[in-house]
Amino acid sequence: MRARIFPGQGAQRRGMGEDSFEEFPELTAQADELLGYSVAELCLEDPEGKLRQTRYAQPAIYFVNALLHLRDGGEPAGFDYFAGHSLGEYNALVAAGMLELIDGLELVRRRAEAMAGITDGAMLAVIGLTREQVESLLLAEGVAAVYLANWNSDRQIVVAGDRAGVRAFGKAAAKSGATKVTPLHVSGPFHTPLMNPARLRFDDALAECVFKPGDVPVVSSTTGEIVDPTHVRDLLSTQISTPVQWVRTVRTLRELGVTGFSEVNGTTLTKLDSEIR
Amino acid sequence: MTRDIAIIGMSVELPEAKNTDEFWDLVVTGRSVSKPFPESRKKDIIDYVRYVRSVAVKPPTDTSVEFHDGYFLDDIADFDYEFFGMTPRQGAMADPVQRMLMKNAYLSLEDAGYTGPRIQDQNTAVFVGYSVNPGQTYVDFLTRADPSLTPLSLTGNMGTMLANRISYHLDLHGPSMVINSACSATLVALHQAKNALLAGDCDLAVVAGARIIMAPLKSADRNIGIESSDGLTRPFDERADGTGFGEGSGAIVLTRLDRARERGDQIYATIKGSAVNHDGHSEMITSPDQAAQTRLLTDAWADAGIDPRTVEYVEVHGTATRIGDPIEFEGLRQAFGRHTDDKEFCAVGTAKANVGHLFEGSGVIGVIKAALTVKNKTVPPMANFEKPNPKIDFADGPIHVPTTAEPWNPAGGERHCGVSAFGIGGTNCHVVLGEAPQQAEARAPQAVDGPQIFTLSAHSERSLRLLVEAYARFFGTEAAERLSLRDVCHTARVSRSAHRHRLALAVAGIGELRDALTALSQGRHDDLPAVHSNLDDWSGPAQPDESPLARYVRGEDVDWSEHEGTASGRIVKLPLYAFDESRCWSPFPDNWAERTSLGPGPSEQNNPVTHDIVFLEEPLAADWPGGVRALALVDPATDAEALLGTPPSGELHVLRLVADGADVGAGTFSATDESLQEVCDHILKGGYTHIVHALALEDTEAPDIQTLDHRVTKNLYSLFLLSKSLMNAGVRGRIVALTRKACALADGAFVAAPENSALAGLAKVIGREFPYLKTRVQDVDEHVTPGLLWREMTRPEPGLHLLRDGKSYHEVFEELPELGTGEEEDYLKAGGTYLVTGGTGGIGLAVSEMFATLQPDIDLVLVSRSGAPDRADWEQLIANHPDGKPARVARTLTEIEGMGARVHVHAADAGDPDALRGVVEDVQRTFGRIDGIVHAAGIPGRNLISLRDPQDFADVVRPKIHGAFVLGSATADVSPDFILHFSSVAVVFPSSGQGDYAAGNYYLDTLARMGRNDDCHVVAVDWVAWREVGMAVDYGSKLDTTFKAVYTNTGMGIIDKMLRSRRRRAFAGEVNYDGNLVHIFKSFDMVLGDTVNTKMKQAESELRDRLRIASEQKRKQIDAVTVELTGRPDGVYRDAEITVARCFADALGYPTLDVDADFFSIGGDSLMATSVASNIATCLRIEFDAADLLMERTVSAVADTVELMQQESAEESPV
């Protein structure tokens, strides 16, 4: 069985979605109108270097993910499951028929606004330490208000939280033998409780949105379980302030019999998949 | 199947002998190359010598600096670091011994024809003989003046790397090890290699050794008694008075003879057998032993399966010492004497006479010489030999000393020879060599069909040019004339690595090849055949062809077997690789005299081991700031709401507690996880500034364990669960926990509800783990008014604050130099009964032992969860598993009983009130008395509040709070003389993860302060980690941190003193006034007393002074680095970039650096990162460490961060 998987923030790069915008002129025009700027120009030229900013990166990635999926045929029939990493989960819901593409873009726009509003925090990817090692480092001197934010693979874990705490964590991790410690270019401590104010703000947007039962099951990166179509609102709300469970997502898909993972817009997740046992 | 081993490749580097040809020439002409220590090398080390002498505690008697003569290399600094995958700095940091070994190992493999594709199929081993020469190593030289180089120098100077780095660089997977048996080391390494080959552990084996002498000082103080007076080695000569020191390196490649023949390898000689033995308990450990040498020779001959009479040459150990030579002669005489009466049939010699004694490197040099002797069928003369040593009767022995080179015509048909080496510690080795089998099947030079493809490649352009020159020269020699074009081209193509700079051409004959290479080397290329090369000036007219030659020079892997002009042949001897060497040397700092002093060290202080926490008055809040929006959790069973009244302004919302299980409606909550999570959601949405935990306001002591348990659940656990939920919801705000007379202002002060003081311990940890939730505990008395309460409890200072009679008090940490209180009395009664909880733990046992020592006539009742091993098993446990915990328990209990005390062990959990009460009652029934109690039971806190399981939290709290309560209440009638509680540093300076532990222990402190109504002396000591026993040791925690760990003896002294003088409380732990740690103290919610504060300031200031001096020196060092930045078209670089580049270059050694080059991909490693980051921090005056460098890896990225940080710090500093 095959699953289509969609990456989230971090997949952005200048030039993404090349050729796709022309292929879907109507959708692109709708997106431009909704966003108030040219999404193609943002993705292809990025003249002001905005693609790194959460506010712009999230709608851009979401939209390019969606177009690239449509280009591949777009019919859900080709895949047995959908899943997405954090933001990519919105694409999975669209692909599965639970959410309209343009409705999703509006949600993502407001999600990005809300998340970009939380600025006093940091995220850090840690390569080469186990989850247990990472958890024990949360006790290290000076590490406070730091949380496990993404469980990406057996080797890669992202922590996030208070800036000073994350900094202390990075040092402790490097001392404990992490092979690489990389700060992520994001504005806030995503996927931690410190994002709760953003989550509350975003709940208003969710309340206005309509979700449908869908045609194909989606495995959620928030729970690692199959999405219950009647609880999508809660799920997307929770997602903002709880860790991304990508390892569990992949394991669940495999347990369901998925052997082929097909990623759009880069290979970020495909690389992670090979590091998950 | 033959057991013979073939020597198929060799390389040497010796004074005046850069390869085996030059070495043989030196040997066969009988030259001896001893000379004065080279001037350039004197310059390199003279400062080091002076430095070592200047810091010697006992200055040398002779202050002149004179050097021995010896067999020295002119240069030990040059090295092709890039070829061996090192940065210039790594190259300069690597021991010259390692560098020579890598070089010669590589050359020997190339000589054997195994560096190209052919080695990939071989399981190749590396055996290096080595021995450390203390005080003479490169790492001493590097790190004596600058210990900070230690990490950088590690991989270049560790003994094991001598072999391992060769395996690593060449990707060899066979055994890789260093063998140390002193002067016999490389010969023993060969013996091991032979055995490994025969055992099938490997297909190929490199055996190598090397030696340098950093500083061959002439000094009576340092002589070891074997040095030659004039630096010459004269073995077996009348004038022999010691050995001349030699330098250099040698390497050989071995494989099984049958395999070598199968594969068409060249064979210098064979190894027919070998033996290793030891002198045993001989006369002295350092003196040679004739009997062992005799046995060694006969064993080696037997192993080789040869007739000893056929051995006509022996490369003797021959160190030319007064006792060594005669003993060796006698060993040879007796060994040969067992097989033949013939005299003087065996020639002897030793390379030590030509090139000096290379000690651990000497064995392989001897083997190379012997192999050349066999191959060249010539017995070389013994250098420096004029008159025989009169102590040796040559006429009566088997050996003679040749003084001229003679053709070797073996009497027995086949040439056999031997090589000996004897280690100073008594390990002897002898190897028997034979000649390569006649190559009867040597194919007649087959006609070659058409031109053959010849290839050459090198890692650097310069190396390739040097190689072309070397080949051009080689093809003009006699040796080359005997070679076939087919073999030459085959060897060049398949037995050499393909490096990145390449040359290929097709030639019809060796003459044509010689002419082409000569033309190239002379810069003529007009009349050349089609030469393909990626060197610009060598490539002919652009040929866009797809020929294998073109593809080869483009960098592709070409499978030559598929192409014409690539007939296969034999591996033959061709010139070896020409390294592109440059000076790799870490100069001894010429400003060493300034560097040796960094100003005064930390001042010696007498710091007390004991401290105390006292409550001191603090000013009241001046005014009411307003802006408060508070949510209070109240217990309607108390007067909480009346106490709070209403805030002077702002809002107060109240949630009222309902009993567990009751319906939680609007405006209520219950002290359960679920309900408190809902409270948390409410807080998250409600935007409160203060969360007031107003539940713990009881004003009487819990009368029974049920009430106590109820209060702990309602008050302490609710604060835990609430703060856990708040942290997990990311709520920011202030928590105020209210208590009423839960803490004692001073010893003996009235306390209403001591169990509620546990909240103070927990509160200190909440803010530590989650800085967005600062937590204040406000303990009030009956005189507080709502106005005062609101003003005080909303103040920003976290920590514990007491309001008493309208005044505010806070905790202050201060020294307590004197534990005594004036009066002292014994506290242990003869015939008394003493109860110890945690009794079989390390500390419980130590206390029991001390009690038994002071008063043997006592009954000790030890209570612990695990109990003790069965008394019947003690003896066996101690004998069979002496290091296990049960044996330690059994041993101590045996000792305690040996003193006369009576031990009784009860297994019971101190956290289980019923079980503990049962033990206490049982003891009272049995002994009718309890005279004293030690409460040492405890489980450490080990997790963040946000991740802590409520049951785990309770498991830590209960042995402390419930346990202490039971011990107190159950002994109210019997009134013991004392109850000693073991509390913890966590109540004062808790770490993250100690919320539960701090809470439990705070209660113990309060019990001690308030005391009891009867005469029982209640004591609590806040312990830091113990060094030898206890929790920190059991759980592997770090011992010396902000406090120095306590020695058991010191701890026992404190306990004894406190019990004796009836002191109630103390903090036991010496502050570690280390300037680097002082900042940690400031991060706690605890005020430091004047004395402690003054000492900390002093430590900080001393640290600053030392750092300032060190930084100035560091900055000077970095400023002196010259490095050119590249990578930006406009050539404009910022100041920060230039400084960062200097720091990179200081570690890596590059003369030029790209601003966007990743530190870790141009050779930086994590060890270097530490020192580079610290240099960046120093030079640019910012906080920057290795973790930062892991994140920002290029000169430009680091400079970006640096500038950002500099801006930040400018903004922070007052203007």
Side-chain angles (χ1 to χ4, degrees):
Chain A
M1 282 196 274
R2 296 177 68 225
R4 160 122 296 169
I5 49 180
F6 297 92
Q9 199 168 348
Q12 70 270 26
R13 61 189 188 290
R14 198 191 300 173
M16 69 177 174
E18 207 175 356
D19 305 338
S20 310
F21 303 107
E22 298 153 23
E23 212 171 305
F24 301 97
E26 271 178 44
L27 278 175
T28 305
Q30 274 180 284
D32 288 355
E33 193 190 335
L34 192 154
L35 296 172
Y37 52 81
S38 161
V39 66
E41 184 186 272
L42 174 68
C43 293
L44 301 178
E45 292 157 36
D46 188 23
E48 294 161 76
K50 286 177 173 170
L51 208 45
R52 252 164 75 160
Q53 299 174 22
T54 297
R55 199 182 302 274
Y56 295 95
Q58 291 196 4
I61 295 163
Y62 166 81
F63 190 62
V64 170
N65 281 355
L67 293 192
L68 291 175
H69 178 63
L70 286 178
R71 255 177 82 164
D72 277 7
E75 291 305 313
F79 296 99
D80 304 284
Y81 293 96
F82 290 109
H85 188 282
S86 184
L87 169 70
E89 196 152 302
Y90 288 81
N91 289 110
L93 295 173
V94 172
M98 294 188 202
L99 178 63
E100 288 300 326
L101 195 159
I102 292 295
D103 289 353
L105 184 62
E106 169 64 7
L107 272 188
V108 167
R109 186 184 69 81
R110 294 181 64 174
R111 178 183 188 264
E113 292 279 339
M115 289 175 76
I118 310 273
T119 53
D120 53 343
M123 298 185 80
L124 191 77
V126 183
I127 315 274
L129 294 182
T130 63
R131 187 175 172 147
E132 291 70 29
Q133 284 172 309
V134 168
E135 280 175 353
S136 75
L137 284 175
L138 296 176
L139 285 166
E141 182 64 45
V143 177
V146 178
Y147 305 81
L148 201 151
N150 295 5
W151 188 17
N152 280 344
S153 77
D154 298 339
R155 296 186 65 233
Q156 191 196 108
I157 286 168
V158 176
V159 298
D162 177 63
R163 206 176 282 256
V166 167
R167 199 177 157 76
F169 183 94
K171 290 174 185 186
K175 266 188 206 150
S176 306
T179 41
K180 204 170 167 186
V181 182
T182 318
L184 303 185
H185 288 295
V186 292
S187 49
F190 296 172
H191 301 296
T192 73
L194 301 178
M195 295 302 288
N196 271 321
R199 175 169 72 85
L200 295 177
R201 220 178 122 188
F202 182 55
D203 281 349
D204 299 340
L206 280 171
E208 295 163 16
C209 190
V210 181
F211 296 95
K212 294 177 290 181
D215 314 309
V216 177
V218 172
V219 174
S220 164
S221 67
T222 307
T223 60
E225 290 164 13
I226 290 185
V227 173
D228 175 349
T230 61
H231 285 93
V232 176
R233 260 186 212 95
D234 282 351
L235 185 79
L236 295 179
S237 170
T238 311
Q239 192 205 56
I240 292 181
S241 58
T242 57
V244 178
Q245 300 282 359
W246 189 247
V247 170
R248 288 178 62 189
T249 306
V250 170
R251 286 183 187 158
T252 301
L253 286 166
R254 288 191 191 142
E255 277 163 25
L256 291 167
V258 172
T259 49
F261 291 90
S262 162
E263 183 177 4
V264 293
N265 199 9
T267 55
T268 322
L269 300 178
T270 310
K271 280 177 199 146
L272 293 179
D273 292 349
S274 67
E275 295 172 5
I276 297 172
R277 270 197 296 168
Chain B
M1 193 176 64
T2 173
R3 291 182 77 249
D4 287 5
I5 300 294
I7 301 176
I8 60 169
M10 306 203 295
S11 169
V12 287
E13 179 180 10
L14 292 162
E16 296 188 30
K18 298 285 164 263
N19 55 48
T20 50
D21 290 345
E22 291 180 10
F23 179 47
W24 176 247
D25 187 61
L26 200 156
V27 164
V28 83
T29 55
R31 279 180 291 147
S32 175
V33 295
S34 177
K35 62 185 169 192
F37 190 54
E39 286 301 325
S40 61
R41 289 183 56 188
K42 280 185 197 169
K43 245 184 243 157
D44 283 343
I45 53 122
I46 188 79
D47 273 330
Y48 171 59
V49 171
R50 294 209 174 104
Y51 161 77
V52 169
R53 289 186 173 184
S54 77
V55 298
V57 174
K58 178 175 171 268
T61 46
D62 175 10
T63 54
S64 67
V65 182
E66 276 188 77
F67 297 92
H68 282 293
D69 287 357
Y71 303 82
F72 300 116
L73 294 165
D74 289 326
D75 178 76
I76 57 170
D78 284 358
F79 182 55
D80 190 349
Y81 60 86
E82 215 189 339
F83 182 88
F84 290 104
M86 295 191 198
T87 69
R89 188 72 195 273
Q90 278 177 324
M93 290 296 198
D95 189 344
V97 168
Q98 182 176 102
R99 306 195 304 222
M100 280 201 293
L101 282 168
M102 294 185 75
K103 195 168 137 182
N104 284 287
Y106 184 83
L107 292 178
S108 65
L109 279 165
E110 196 172 72
D111 188 45
Y114 285 98
T115 51
R118 289 177 82 218
I119 198 171
Q120 284 160 15
D121 314 324
Q122 307 297 326
N123 183 21
T124 304
V126 178
F127 292 89
V128 166
Y130 181 66
S131 176
V132 174
N133 299 288
Q136 287 281 345
T137 62
Y138 191 59
V139 74
D140 286 336
F141 169 79
L142 288 177
T143 59
R144 282 292 291 271
D146 189 353
S148 72
L149 291 177
T150 305
L152 277 179
S153 61
L154 203 64
T155 54
N157 293 273
M158 273 174 79
T160 183
M161 295 295 176
L162 297 175
N164 299 159
R165 196 156 198 154
I166 294 168
S167 304
Y168 171 77
H169 176 243
L170 296 170
D171 190 25
L172 310 179
H173 295 269
S176 177
M177 66 189 75
V178 170
I179 284 162
N180 183 356
S181 63
C183 297
S184 57
T186 41
L187 206 60
V188 174
L190 183 152
H191 174 82
Q192 297 300 104
K194 180 200 85 168
N195 289 345
L197 285 163
L198 293 177
D201 288 351
C202 52
D203 305 316
L204 279 184
V206 180
V207 176
R211 178 177 169 89
I212 56 156
I213 306 144
M214 282 290 291
L217 282 176
K218 239 186 201 174
S219 152
D221 294 341
R222 296 187 60 93
N223 278 1
I224 54 174
I226 60 165
E227 295 89 339
S228 151
S229 60
D230 59 2
L232 284 172
T233 320
R234 299 185 180 85
F236 297 115
D237 189 87
E238 183 183 18
R239 297 160 302 155
D241 68 350
T243 201
F245 291 166
E247 290 185 322
S249 174
I252 59 175
V253 179
L254 306 179
T255 190
R256 292 180 64 120
L257 177 61
D258 45 7
R259 305 283 292 274
R261 296 178 69 176
E262 259 169 46
R263 294 180 302 218
D265 297 326
Q266 61 166 337
I267 299 169
Y268 287 94
T270 61
I271 289 160
K272 304 194 74 69
S274 61
V276 175
N277 73 4
H278 187 266
D279 291 344
H281 192 79
S282 55
E283 199 183 342
M284 275 193 294
I285 189 164
T286 53
S287 64
D289 183 69
Q290 170 265 314
Q293 293 181 15
T294 299
R295 211 164 42 247
L296 175 77
L297 290 163
T298 51
D299 288 351
W301 293 328
D303 182 55
I306 54 154
D307 172 7
R309 180 59 186 80
T310 62
V311 176
E312 296 182 330
Y313 178 74
V314 172
E315 173 74 9
V316 293
H317 187 56
T319 51
T321 57
R322 289 193 176 89
I323 45 170
D325 286 358
I327 287 176
E328 187 168 12
F329 171 80
E330 191 56 25
L332 286 160
R333 195 179 71 82
Q334 295 203 14
F336 277 114
R338 292 182 188 177
H339 302 277
T340 175
D341 294 322
D342 292 357
K343 306 293 179 201
E344 296 187 82
F345 60 87
C346 178
V348 296
T350 170
K352 293 179 183 67
N354 308 102
V355 295
H357 187 5
L358 274 76
F359 289 72
E360 59 276 11
S362 64
V364 73
I365 300 294
V367 170
I368 291 171
K369 181 186 157 190
L372 291 170
T373 299
V374 170
K375 181 169 193 285
N376 290 308
K377 303 182 171 67
T378 304
V379 175
M382 174 83 91
N384 300 330
F385 187 84
E386 281 176 23
K387 273 190 190 162
N389 185 334
K391 288 192 187 133
I392 298 172
D393 185 3
F394 285 101
D396 186 37
I399 65 169
H400 69 99
V401 182
T403 52
T404 56
E406 288 159 6
W408 183 356
N409 299 311
E414 211 186 331
R415 292 173 186 85
H416 291 144
C417 71
V419 181
S420 287
F422 311 138
I424 191 165
T427 301
N428 310 308
C429 185
H430 187 82
V431 174
V432 178
L433 276 70
E435 51 189 317
Q438 297 295 320
Q439 302 211 325
E441 74 283 16
R443 290 153 296 195
Q446 288 168 355
V448 171
D449 304 324
Q452 295 293 300
I453 296 174
F454 176 82
T455 59
L456 265 187
S457 73
H459 193 72
S460 81
E461 197 176 307
R462 181 162 164 257
S463 285
L464 185 56
R465 293 183 194 279
L466 291 171
L467 265 182
V468 165
E469 278 174 38
Y471 271 83
R473 263 198 315 276
F474 171 73
F475 288 127
T477 63
E478 216 179 305
E481 281 170 21
R482 292 192 292 267
L483 299 176
S484 78
L485 177 69
R486 174 194 184 122
D487 289 347
V488 165
C489 290
H490 172 77
T491 303
R493 279 194 315 273
V494 308
S495 78
R496 300 294 198 261
S497 291
H499 304 287
R500 60 184 176 205
H501 296 284
R502 300 182 177 187
L503 169 76
L505 66 166
V507 288
I510 287 187
E512 187 185 337
L513 180 55
R514 182 191 58 222
D515 294 345
L517 296 179
T518 308
L520 280 179
S521 70
Q522 293 171 354
R524 294 182 286 115
H525 22 67
D526 305 340
D527 50 349
L528 282 181
V531 169
H532 289 71
S533 173
N534 53 357
L535 256 57
D536 290 343
D537 55 332
W538 284 355
S539 54
Q543 295 149 316
D545 60 343
E546 280 307 305
S547 70
L549 289 85
R551 287 177 31 231
Y552 171 76
V553 300
R554 263 211 310 271
E556 290 180 26
D557 283 335
V558 177
D559 182 359
W560 295 110
S561 62
E562 297 169 7
H563 299 284
E564 278 187 18
T566 59
S568 72
R570 291 177 309 150
I571 298 298
V572 291
K573 192 171 173 64
L574 293 179
L576 299 182
Y577 191 80
F579 291 102
D580 185 359
E581 296 185 324
S582 57
R583 186 171 160 83
C584 289
W585 188 260
S586 184
F588 198 79
D590 53 14
N591 61 341
W592 61 270
E594 303 155 36
R595 280 185 166 228
T596 45
S597 166
L598 290 180
S603 55
E604 290 292 321
Q605 283 176 335
N606 259 340
N607 298 317
V609 180
T610 46
H611 294 78
D612 203 1
I613 298 109
V614 292
F615 285 96
L616 295 183
E617 195 182 341
E618 58 182 336
L620 291 172
D623 49 16
W624 167 247
V628 166
R629 179 175 154 81
L631 177 77
L633 305 183
V634 301
D635 178 359
T638 68
D639 63 345
E641 286 181 72
L643 179 70
L644 285 166
T646 51
S649 65
E651 294 173 51
L652 169 63
H653 298 258
V654 174
L655 293 177
R656 293 181 186 87
L657 178 76
V658 295
D660 290 4
D663 282 347
V664 178
T668 65
F669 74 99
S670 70
T672 60
D673 199 358
E674 194 187 0
S675 174
L676 286 166
Q677 279 195 28
E678 282 168 19
V679 171
C680 175
D681 282 346
H682 174 72
I683 293 169
L684 183 64
K685 290 172 183 148
Y688 295 102
T689 58
H690 290 78
I691 299 136
V692 184
H693 180 280
L695 298 168
L697 288 166
E698 286 81 8
D699 55 5
T700 54
E701 202 171 339
D704 50 45
I705 188 76
Q706 288 76 22
T707 311
L708 178 101
D709 189 60
H710 170 73
R711 286 187 190 173
V712 168
T713 306
K714 172 178 74 85
N715 301 338
L716 180 66
Y717 294 176
S718 67
L719 180 60
F720 157 66
L721 291 170
L722 179 66
S723 59
K724 178 178 173 179
S725 296
L726 292 171
M727 288 180 192
N728 285 330
V731 172
R732 302 169 189 216
R734 295 222 171 90
I735 299 178
V736 179
L738 292 182
T739 56
R740 173 173 281 139
K741 286 183 151 177
C743 303
L745 182 64
D747 284 1
F750 173 75
V751 172
E755 55 276 12
N756 288 337
S757 69
L759 273 65
L762 174 59
K764 291 177 186 180
V765 180
I766 295 172
R768 191 151 191 86
E769 292 184 6
F770 193 75
Y772 300 132
L773 276 178
K774 288 290 179 203
T775 305
R776 180 179 175 105
V777 174
Q778 191 70 59
D779 188 67
V780 300
D781 68 359
E782 62 277 21
H783 303 293
V784 73
T785 62
L788 177 64
L789 177 63
W790 279 99
R791 279 198 303 280
E792 288 300 314
M793 75 179 190
T794 55
R795 288 174 68 166
E797 294 86 3
L800 172 61
H801 301 264
L802 311 187
L803 278 173
R804 293 289 184 273
D805 278 327
K807 292 177 182 166
S808 180
Y809 299 84
H810 62 175
E811 288 180 302
V812 176
F813 179 74
E814 191 47 292
E815 290 192 347
L816 180 67
E818 180 49 56
L819 277 178
T821 50
E823 288 171 41
E824 295 193 7
E825 55 182 332
D826 290 344
Y827 51 92
L828 295 168
K829 290 180 187 144
T833 299
Y834 297 90
L835 183 76
V836 184
T837 71
T840 60
I843 292 174
L845 286 171
V847 175
S848 304
E849 201 173 355
M850 177 179 79
F851 282 7
T853 312
L854 294 171
Q855 175 53 269
D857 178 18
I858 53 173
D859 287 282
L860 279 165
V861 181
L862 310 186
V863 185
S864 78
R865 271 182 303 167
S866 48
D870 221 332
R871 190 177 291 267
D873 299 336
W874 287 3
E875 219 169 296
Q876 241 187 336
L877 266 173
I878 296 167
N880 298 341
H881 308 281
D883 298 326
K885 194 191 169 210
R888 267 184 292 152
V889 173
R891 195 159 41 232
T892 312
L893 296 184
T894 310
E895 279 165 24
I896 292 172
E897 295 204 325
M899 296 174 197
R902 300 164 294 275
V903 176
H904 318 271
V905 181
H906 286 255
D909 181 354
D912 176 348
D914 291 340
L916 188 59
R917 183 176 297 277
V919 172
V920 174
E921 286 168 3
D922 189 34
V923 171
Q924 289 187 22
R925 263 197 308 278
T926 312
F927 301 98
R929 58 195 291 174
I930 294 181
D931 299 276
I933 295 172
V934 176
H935 184 34
I939 300 170
R942 304 266 293 169
N943 211 343
L944 294 176
I945 292 168
S946 63
L947 302 173
R948 194 73 165 142
D949 178 77
Q951 187 56 51
D952 293 340
F953 187 93
D955 284 348
V956 173
V957 166
R958 292 173 68 87
K960 294 288 179 183
I961 297 183
H962 296 64
F965 184 87
V966 168
L967 291 174
S969 58
T971 58
D973 309 336
V974 291
S975 194
D977 297 328
F978 62 85
I979 301 178
L980 166 63
H981 292 296
F982 273 66
S983 178
S984 159
V985 60
V987 303
V988 194
F989 302 105
S991 306
S992 289
Q994 290 190 317
D996 36 24
Y997 197 62
N1001 282 308
Y1002 207 98
Y1003 172 64
L1004 304 181
D1005 278 22
T1006 305
L1007 288 180
R1009 280 187 205 275
M1010 64 189 283
R1012 277 175 42 145
N1013 294 329
D1014 56 10
D1015 202 29
C1016 175
H1017 172 208
V1018 185
V1019 196
V1021 188
D1022 306 336
W1023 296 103
V1024 303
W1026 288 57
R1027 190 175 295 278
E1028 297 136 302
V1029 292
M1031 227 174 236
V1033 174
D1034 293 347
Y1035 287 85
S1037 307
K1038 210 166 154 194
L1039 293 176
D1040 285 329
T1041 52
T1042 42
F1043 295 94
K1044 296 180 180 173
V1046 176
Y1047 287 94
T1048 309
N1049 268 343
T1050 311
M1052 291 307 142
I1054 291 169
I1055 291 170
D1056 184 52
K1057 186 80 176 178
M1058 290 184 74
L1059 288 173
R1060 202 170 281 283
S1061 60
R1062 296 185 69 86
R1063 175 173 288 280
R1064 296 179 187 220
R1065 261 197 36 82
F1067 176 101
E1070 183 186 338
V1071 175
N1072 195 357
Y1073 287 103
D1074 172 337
N1076 293 304
L1077 298 173
V1078 163
H1079 72 275
I1080 298 177
F1081 282 95
K1082 296 181 177 164
S1083 67
F1084 290 96
D1085 300 338
M1086 170 66 57
V1087 178
L1088 302 175
D1090 290 342
T1091 323
V1092 173
N1093 215 1
T1094 307
K1095 286 186 178 179
M1096 292 209 177
K1097 287 209 168 104
Q1098 191 184 339
E1100 277 182 303
S1101 130
E1102 283 170 2
L1103 175 71
R1104 265 197 307 275
D1105 287 347
R1106 272 178 289 134
L1107 289 179
R1108 188 175 41 76
I1109 297 174
S1111 329
E1112 278 162 18
Q1113 287 168 354
K1114 205 44 147 180
R1115 277 195 283 270
K1116 270 189 212 161
Q1117 179 194 332
I1118 297 295
D1119 281 348
V1121 174
T1122 49
V1123 59
E1124 191 192 329
L1125 273 170
T1126 60
R1128 206 164 280 155
D1130 60 7
V1132 178
Y1133 303 97
R1134 294 168 284 165
D1135 289 349
E1137 286 175 331
I1138 292 167
T1139 307
V1140 172
R1142 285 185 175 144
C1143 295
F1144 276 31
D1146 177 59
L1148 298 168
Y1150 294 114
T1152 62
L1153 264 180
D1154 189 304
V1155 277
D1156 294 317
D1158 183 330
F1159 177 77
F1160 294 93
S1161 53
I1162 56 174
D1165 60 33
S1166 56
L1167 291 177
M1168 286 182 200
T1170 311
S1171 68
V1172 170
S1174 118
N1175 289 352
I1176 290 172
T1178 304
C1179 293
L1180 293 160
R1181 297 179 167 85
I1182 48 158
E1183 277 187 35
F1184 193 88
D1185 65 20
D1188 295 311
L1189 191 56
L1190 273 171
M1191 302 180 196
E1192 312 294 345
R1193 298 157 166 248
T1194 67
V1195 167
S1196 69
V1198 172
D1200 285 347
T1201 308
V1202 162
E1203 285 178 356
L1204 203 68
M1205 288 168 145
Q1206 283 174 331
Q1207 279 164 20
E1208 277 173 12
S1209 63
E1211 282 159 16
E1212 281 164 15
S1213 51
V1215 282

